[in-house]
Every structure is written in structure tokens, then in C-alpha cells.
Amino acid sequence: MRRAITGLVLSVVCALVPAVATRAQEPRFLPQGAQVYDRKTGLTWQRCTLGQQWRGERCDGTATPYTWDVARTLYRDGWRLPTMAELETLIDPERKARRVHPNIDTTLFPYPTVVPTQSRPLRFPFYWSSVPTRGCISQSRRGCAYVLDLYSINNTDVDNLPREALAIVRLVKAAPASSPGVDSNSSSNSVAVYGDRFEASGNEVLDRRTGLRWQRCNTGQTWQAGLGCTGVPRYYTYDDAARAAGGGWRLPTKDELMSLVEKGRPLHIDTDAFLDVHKDKATYWTSTPYVGGGRQYFCVNFPFGDSDNCDASGTRALRLVRDQR
């Protein structure tokens, strides 16, 4: 009897193992004709770069280069520009670890064919993200936006380009609000979720890890739905920065501001959640005094991902914080 029961149990286990293994081996990306569904993020991507068409085995035609302002108008039938965080999810970690060039699966997402225009050179093969920034030189003074080279040898070529520059586009369909990097800025009260940590609503970003609420834009700027951070950041002496706080907002401590540092990210901060962190002037005040002579306070330099001591008479950027209500 015992042998019979043991045999029955083994039979059931053996029957279940292949099914479990099959589920475990399910591919992350599911091709669906001209679209690719990402099981991990819930996002659906266009298989071809915009301007090309899927012909069963390849993308025909040439990719169309756009300025950022034109690219932002290409919303249709739920398709939209991806955030930077969403673009980075297309990087295949296994290919990157094995140094396979490029780090994106070209069977799923074929390499684009692009013909630059004679009048305006194309910054190829950068893809536009929906995330604006003012951290670069723009002849039109309209600011810049983040781009990603999906086909570079390291596939981590993050940069920003002037909005009047030309780059190419791969559109994405909106995912559920719980998916990483989903940005639904259709109104000032809409919520954007970035990974499992940050939740943005208007000009505020909630850090679920610490419970703190941060200003999304630099002090001196204003958040506008669909446009991001508008206006020009202000740079303060320490005393002026302390006076700028109010209404529950305050200068962060050194530890609080350093909690936003994420090594390995562009500028060492989540630039989808926190817009307009400048490459050249991205040092922010904290309220923590530096004991070492003179009147100094700690400040955080995001491009270096570290803190330093800053003289109170110097000018620095400001991002205020408040405790969760």
C-alpha cells in the first residue's frame, strides 16, 4: 500500500514538473506581429522604428527623424513616447553581461534604417524619451530632452539633445499604473509611478522607501502637465535657501538628500521622477552643517553621486522636502 501511494505521489510530481518548468521558461518578450509585448513590465512596443513597417520578418522602409516637439505630438491610439526608464527596460541584461553587441534583441527590435536630411544632421541612432531637461546647450533656448542609443556597444549611452535636434522614435503603449516607469501626465493631478519606489503627482514626488515628499522640479521652476518643469532654476546662498522654505517645505538633511542618489543612473538620480537635474550645476543645499572651519554646510553633487562641503556664501540649487502627511 505504501509503495502504491509513493508511486502515485511521484507520478503527480513528475506530471507537474514539466508544466512548472514550461512556465518558468516562458520568454519575457512576446512578438505579436508589428508589436512586442513585455511580460515583465506590461508594456507593448512598436517592433519597428517609427517610419518603418513590419513585413513579417523585417522592418521595411526608413526610420523618420523628428525634433522632440514634433515627436511629442505622435500620440495616437494609445501609443506615446516612452519615458527614459521605459526605454532602458529594452536593454537585455544577459546580452549585456555576455558583451553581445548590441545589447538589444535585434530579432525582436530590428536595427533601424535611417537616411539623414542634408539640412539637419541626425544624432543617430538616439531615440527620444518623453523626459525634458534643461541640462544642455540649446540654440533655441527651449531646453533639451533625454535620449538613449539602444544599439550602442554598451547600450548605456544616455545623453540629452536640444529639442530642435533630430532623433528617431519607438512608441510604446501605456501600461497599467503599477508597471515601472509609467507616466500618465494627462492632468496636473495624475499619478506617475516609477519602479517600486517613486510616485509623482504634479510637482511632488513621494518616496515610498523613506516616506518623504520631494519637490519634483528645482526651486524656481513650475511643473506643467505635458511640459514638465518650466522656467529657470534659481541658485541660492545658504541663507536665501533657508528663507525659501515654508508651508511645510524645508531644506533636506544630508542623509535625506543622499537617499536620492542611485549609483549607475544618469546623473546618479532617477531623472524620470526628478526632472531638470543639470549636468553642469547640479549641486544642492542640505541643512546639515559641516564642522571644519568657516560657515559651511553639506551639499550633494548628483553628477558625482556624493556630498561635499560648501561655503554658505556660494550659490547652489535647491530641492525642498516635506514629511509625509
Side-chain angles (χ1 to χ4, degrees):
M1 181 67 176
R2 182 176 298 175
R3 289 182 179 179
I5 294 175
T6 302
L8 178 61
V9 171
L10 289 174
S11 298
V12 172
V13 170
C14 290
L16 289 175
V17 167
V20 173
T22 299
R23 285 195 296 271
Q25 295 172 2
E26 285 183 345
R28 173 181 166 182
F29 292 103
L30 179 63
Q32 300 173 331
Q35 303 174 12
V36 177
Y37 175 68
D38 186 345
R39 298 176 191 268
K40 182 177 180 180
T41 64
L43 296 170
T44 298
W45 293 89
Q46 288 185 342
R47 198 163 193 179
C48 300
T49 303
L50 205 60
Q52 297 185 288
Q53 292 185 333
W54 179 250
R55 298 299 187 188
E57 295 182 353
R58 65 182 185 276
C59 293
D60 279 352
T62 58
T64 305
Y66 299 92
T67 65
W68 187 73
D69 292 288
V70 173
R72 291 176 63 231
T73 68
L74 300 175
Y75 292 61
R76 63 176 185 270
D77 300 326
W79 295 102
R80 58 174 174 79
L81 272 182
T83 66
M84 178 58 71
E86 288 170 339
L87 272 176
E88 289 180 307
T89 65
L90 294 181
I91 296 172
D92 186 331
E94 292 186 4
R95 293 172 69 91
K96 183 176 180 180
R98 291 186 285 114
R99 298 183 180 275
V100 176
H101 170 63
N103 297 156
I104 186 172
D105 190 334
T106 53
T107 303
L108 296 170
F109 303 101
Y111 199 91
T113 301
V114 183
V115 179
T117 64
Q118 293 181 353
S119 59
R120 306 178 78 178
L122 173 68
R123 299 300 297 271
F124 170 77
F126 282 118
Y127 282 79
W128 284 122
S129 79
S130 63
V131 182
T133 177
R134 295 184 183 274
C136 72
I137 299 175
S138 169
Q139 292 181 352
S140 67
R141 298 185 179 180
R142 301 183 66 186
C144 309
Y146 282 107
V147 291
L148 178 66
D149 181 355
L150 286 172
Y151 296 88
S152 72
I153 192 167
N154 295 317
N155 222 358
T156 54
D157 197 354
V158 177
D159 205 344
N160 53 46
L161 294 180
R163 288 163 55 166
E164 65 270 18
L166 293 176
I168 50 182
V169 173
R170 174 169 277 117
L171 297 178
V172 68
K173 273 193 175 180
S178 59
S179 297
V182 177
D183 197 345
S184 54
N185 295 322
S186 57
S187 71
S188 59
N189 295 321
S190 62
V191 175
V193 179
Y194 301 100
D196 59 358
R197 180 175 180 185
F198 295 114
E199 180 179 299
S201 177
N203 190 40
E204 294 187 18
V205 176
L206 170 64
D207 185 345
R208 294 171 173 171
R209 184 181 301 172
T210 64
L212 295 172
R213 285 191 176 273
W214 295 89
Q215 288 184 341
R216 191 173 193 184
C217 302
N218 296 304
T219 302
Q221 295 182 290
T222 303
W223 169 261
Q224 291 188 24
L227 296 177
C229 296
T230 61
V232 180
R234 288 191 59 186
Y235 298 93
Y236 301 81
T237 64
Y238 178 81
D239 291 333
D240 288 340
R243 284 191 287 267
W249 294 100
R250 58 178 174 79
L251 267 70
T253 66
K254 172 194 169 186
D255 290 342
E256 288 172 338
L257 196 55
M258 282 295 296
S259 73
L260 297 182
V261 171
E262 295 186 14
K263 296 287 189 178
R265 281 186 172 273
L267 302 180
H268 302 300
I269 188 173
D270 189 328
T271 49
D272 289 328
F274 298 97
L275 307 177
D276 277 12
V277 176
H278 289 219
K279 279 185 176 180
D280 300 326
K281 203 168 184 181
T283 305
Y284 290 75
W285 282 118
T286 80
S287 62
T288 305
Y290 174 81
V291 180
R295 191 161 174 261
Q296 301 183 69
Y297 292 82
F298 278 102
C299 51
V300 173
N301 187 316
F302 282 100
F304 287 94
D306 206 351
S307 62
D308 200 354
N309 55 302
C310 295
D311 190 271
S313 62
T315 57
R316 303 288 184 269
L318 181 61
R319 191 180 303 278
L320 298 176
V321 69
R322 65 180 174 86
D323 299 310
Q324 173 75 302
R325 292 173 181 172

